[in-house]
Amino acid sequence: MLIFGFHIKTSSHLHHCHSSTMVRIPEVKLSSGGKPMPRIGVGTAVFPFASSEAMRATILRSIELGYRHFDTAAIYQSEEPLGAAIADALRAGAIRSRDELFITSKLWCSDAHPHLVLPALQKTLRNLQLEYLDLYLVHWPVSTRPGKYELPPAKEDLLPIDMSAVWRAMEECHALGLTRSIGVSNFSSKKLETLLSIAKIPPAVNQGNKVEVNPLWQQQKLREFCVAKGIQVCAYSPLGAKGTHWGQNWVMDCGVLEDIAAAKGKTLAQICLRWVYEQGDCVLVKSFNEERMVENLDILDWELSEEEKHKIGQIPQRKGFPGLDFVSDDAPYKSTAELWDGEI
């Protein structure tokens, strides 16, 4: 099997191949008319959040393997290593132009104030050494006290968000050409509906932990709403985000998925990623292990059977990240039901 210039003989043997036949990651057009988004992307959130040379090297390697879509955020501290890796890739000839990449970043809650949106994006672009983003997202439907970049935020720092004014500032960033598309992250259907009623430019994408999509949290209602409104779903935590502040082991320990993987000769991770991919979502993967980076791309030339999809559809649903960090008796959201509008 040929994947991004590698013949895969066994899961542990990668043989370089000089064939010019390269697998291309399919793309999806966004409502904004900006650059199409590759359906498989690389997430750069490593908890605890930190910038590192290892991350820079891993991102460069993933570009060499064929990944073109990278997801970062102000809070992740991964913008600088991503920017450095892009510069490395250009120098090494792994890409000819920055325009070959699709780069997403996110506005943190402490900058989710109308007058801070543009400066926050300008700082993100400096960190990335880029002139524009392909996609800029409002990270959470939450504001916090300006000047602090913390997850979890201190409960006393949680503030109501003026979403109408923040979104106008996002639209201004788009008008200035600093981002080709704008969107949101961790928004319920109800919050999206409110935003759509006031937006001149509708959100092109909904991503994040609310949009935690995996076989154990299938998000049928939210996905149907987004499809109907022309909003692309970008699935975070497709494998359950094991080992992170917001993750769980439930997906990777799921017996139904283990059985399907064994029967198909695939890994459990590949079954999860293929399932999300078949829903029409973009999927964000994250691995610093080269073998798994290649494996995560090997989901394009096979399908789940109707029976397998039915079995996955029957898995009891459990949300991994309830969002308690953003809930407090004295905060705008008093309960997770208010944060998610009863959708979890």
Side-chain angles (χ1 to χ4, degrees):
M1 184 183 298
L2 182 66
I3 302 172
F4 294 97
F6 284 91
H7 274 299
I8 310 304
K9 298 219 174 156
T10 71
S11 62
S12 58
H13 291 90
L14 303 182
H15 293 276
H16 199 272
C17 167
H18 296 288
S19 164
S20 59
T21 312
M22 297 286 276
V23 175
R24 295 277 170 237
I25 297 173
E27 298 174 327
V28 63
K29 287 183 178 169
L30 300 178
S31 63
S32 56
K35 190 187 301 175
M37 176 190 276
R39 295 270 317 274
I40 305 172
V42 176
T44 61
V46 178
F47 200 81
F49 299 134
S51 179
S52 72
E53 282 300 306
M55 182 182 290
R56 174 179 176 172
T58 299
I59 293 167
L60 174 59
R61 188 71 192 115
S62 62
I63 292 172
E64 291 168 350
L65 289 170
Y67 288 97
R68 294 293 180 265
H69 173 182
F70 294 88
D71 181 87
T72 183
I75 191 70
Y76 298 166
Q77 297 180 40
S78 59
E79 291 175 335
E80 288 186 1
L82 174 54
I86 293 168
D88 292 342
L90 286 163
R91 274 194 296 273
I95 49 172
R96 289 185 300 278
S97 158
R98 174 264 179 269
D99 294 342
E100 293 178 35
L101 302 177
F102 189 103
I103 307 298
T104 301
S105 194
K106 308 183 195 79
L107 178 80
W108 186 240
C109 306
S110 54
D111 289 320
H113 303 273
H115 66 292
L116 296 179
V117 175
L118 179 57
L121 176 52
Q122 289 168 328
K123 183 180 180 187
T124 279
L125 291 171
R126 284 196 301 276
N127 288 343
L128 287 162
Q129 306 174 51
L130 298 179
E131 293 179 4
Y132 72 92
L133 291 179
D134 295 288
L135 178 63
Y136 196 40
L137 305 177
V138 177
H139 206 150
W140 282 88
V142 176
S143 289
T144 57
R145 200 175 307 281
K148 292 186 178 179
Y149 293 84
E150 297 174 340
L151 183 69
K155 299 288 188 184
E156 62 271 18
D157 290 340
L158 295 170
L159 300 169
I161 187 168
D162 182 349
M163 196 58 223
S164 177
V166 166
W167 193 252
R168 278 198 301 276
M170 295 286 285
E171 291 174 332
E172 179 64 17
C173 292
H174 180 269
L176 291 168
L178 299 179
T179 181
R180 300 290 163 88
S181 296
I182 52 177
V184 296
S185 172
N186 302 303
F187 273 52
S188 66
S189 305
K190 185 176 177 186
K191 287 181 176 60
L192 282 170
E193 198 139 38
T194 303
L195 178 56
L196 287 168
S197 72
I198 56 161
K200 288 194 181 75
I201 302 172
V205 168
N206 189 20
Q207 194 222 93
N209 288 307
K210 164 66 186 140
V211 197
E212 170 192 348
V213 179
N214 57 59
L216 271 71
W217 189 245
Q218 297 183 14
Q219 295 277 41
Q220 213 59 44
K221 180 187 172 189
L222 181 68
R223 179 182 294 106
E224 286 167 6
F225 179 89
C226 288
V227 168
K229 301 294 184 184
I231 300 169
Q232 177 63 42
V233 172
C234 200
Y236 217 81
S237 305
L239 308 179
K242 185 174 180 175
T244 65
H245 165 67
W246 55 88
Q248 300 287 351
N249 299 349
W250 300 332
V251 175
M252 299 307 282
D253 295 342
C254 176
V256 173
L257 298 174
E258 286 173 350
D259 291 347
I260 294 171
K264 265 191 136 46
K266 303 292 180 186
T267 66
L268 189 150
Q270 287 174 320
I271 298 299
C272 289
L273 296 174
R274 179 68 201 184
W275 180 85
V276 173
Y277 184 86
E278 287 188 14
Q279 307 302 306
D281 300 350
C282 288
V283 56
L284 293 173
V285 298
K286 191 189 76 210
S287 178
F288 283 11
N289 173 295
E290 183 167 324
E291 194 176 312
R292 282 198 289 276
M293 284 199 254
V294 174
E295 179 189 295
N296 288 341
L297 290 171
D298 184 17
I299 63 167
L300 298 172
D301 62 354
W302 53 276
E303 295 180 347
L304 294 165
S305 69
E306 289 304 316
E307 184 186 359
E308 288 161 345
K309 287 187 275 195
H310 178 74
K311 284 179 182 170
I312 292 172
Q314 302 302 306
I315 295 172
Q317 297 294 285
R318 307 172 75 175
K319 178 160 178 61
F321 184 68
L324 291 168
D325 295 344
F326 300 98
V327 168
S328 167
D329 288 344
D330 301 317
Y333 302 118
K334 316 281 187 224
S335 65
T336 54
E338 287 184 15
L339 178 63
W340 305 123
D341 298 304
E343 292 175 26
I344 69 166

mmCIF file with all atom_site columns, all heavy atoms in Angstrom, residues 141 165 268:
data_model
loop_
_atom_site.group_PDB
_atom_site.id
_atom_site.type_symbol
_atom_site.label_atom_id
_atom_site.label_alt_id
_atom_site.label_comp_id
_atom_site.label_asym_id
_atom_site.label_entity_id
_atom_site.label_seq_id
_atom_site.pdbx_PDB_ins_code
_atom_site.Cartn_x
_atom_site.Cartn_y
_atom_site.Cartn_z
_atom_site.occupancy
_atom_site.B_iso_or_equiv
_atom_site.pdbx_formal_charge
_atom_site.auth_seq_id
_atom_site.auth_comp_id
_atom_site.auth_asym_id
_atom_site.auth_atom_id
_atom_site.pdbx_PDB_model_num
ATOM 1  N N   . PRO A 1 141 ? -17.678 29.758 23.945 1.00 0.00 ? 141 PRO A N   1
ATOM 2  C CA  . PRO A 1 141 ? -18.682 30.823 24.082 1.00 0.00 ? 141 PRO A CA  1
ATOM 3  C C   . PRO A 1 141 ? -18.612 31.451 25.475 1.00 0.00 ? 141 PRO A C   1
ATOM 4  O O   . PRO A 1 141 ? -19.609 31.557 26.199 1.00 0.00 ? 141 PRO A O   1
ATOM 5  C CB  . PRO A 1 141 ? -20.008 30.084 23.849 1.00 0.00 ? 141 PRO A CB  1
ATOM 6  C CG  . PRO A 1 141 ? -19.752 28.700 24.346 1.00 0.00 ? 141 PRO A CG  1
ATOM 7  C CD  . PRO A 1 141 ? -18.297 28.408 24.019 1.00 0.00 ? 141 PRO A CD  1
ATOM 8  N N   . ALA A 1 165 ? -20.847 41.486 19.617 1.00 0.00 ? 165 ALA A N   1
ATOM 9  C CA  . ALA A 1 165 ? -19.719 42.412 19.407 1.00 0.00 ? 165 ALA A CA  1
ATOM 10 C C   . ALA A 1 165 ? -18.434 41.649 19.079 1.00 0.00 ? 165 ALA A C   1
ATOM 11 O O   . ALA A 1 165 ? -17.627 42.091 18.245 1.00 0.00 ? 165 ALA A O   1
ATOM 12 C CB  . ALA A 1 165 ? -19.533 43.288 20.639 1.00 0.00 ? 165 ALA A CB  1
ATOM 13 N N   . LEU A 1 268 ? -7.774  -0.022 16.329 1.00 0.00 ? 268 LEU A N   1
ATOM 14 C CA  . LEU A 1 268 ? -8.973  0.604  16.886 1.00 0.00 ? 268 LEU A CA  1
ATOM 15 C C   . LEU A 1 268 ? -9.019  2.081  16.518 1.00 0.00 ? 268 LEU A C   1
ATOM 16 O O   . LEU A 1 268 ? -10.076 2.623  16.174 1.00 0.00 ? 268 LEU A O   1
ATOM 17 C CB  . LEU A 1 268 ? -8.996  0.406  18.402 1.00 0.00 ? 268 LEU A CB  1
ATOM 18 C CG  . LEU A 1 268 ? -10.285 0.808  19.124 1.00 0.00 ? 268 LEU A CG  1
ATOM 19 C CD1 . LEU A 1 268 ? -10.492 -0.053 20.362 1.00 0.00 ? 268 LEU A CD1 1
ATOM 20 C CD2 . LEU A 1 268 ? -10.273 2.277  19.536 1.00 0.00 ? 268 LEU A CD2 1
#
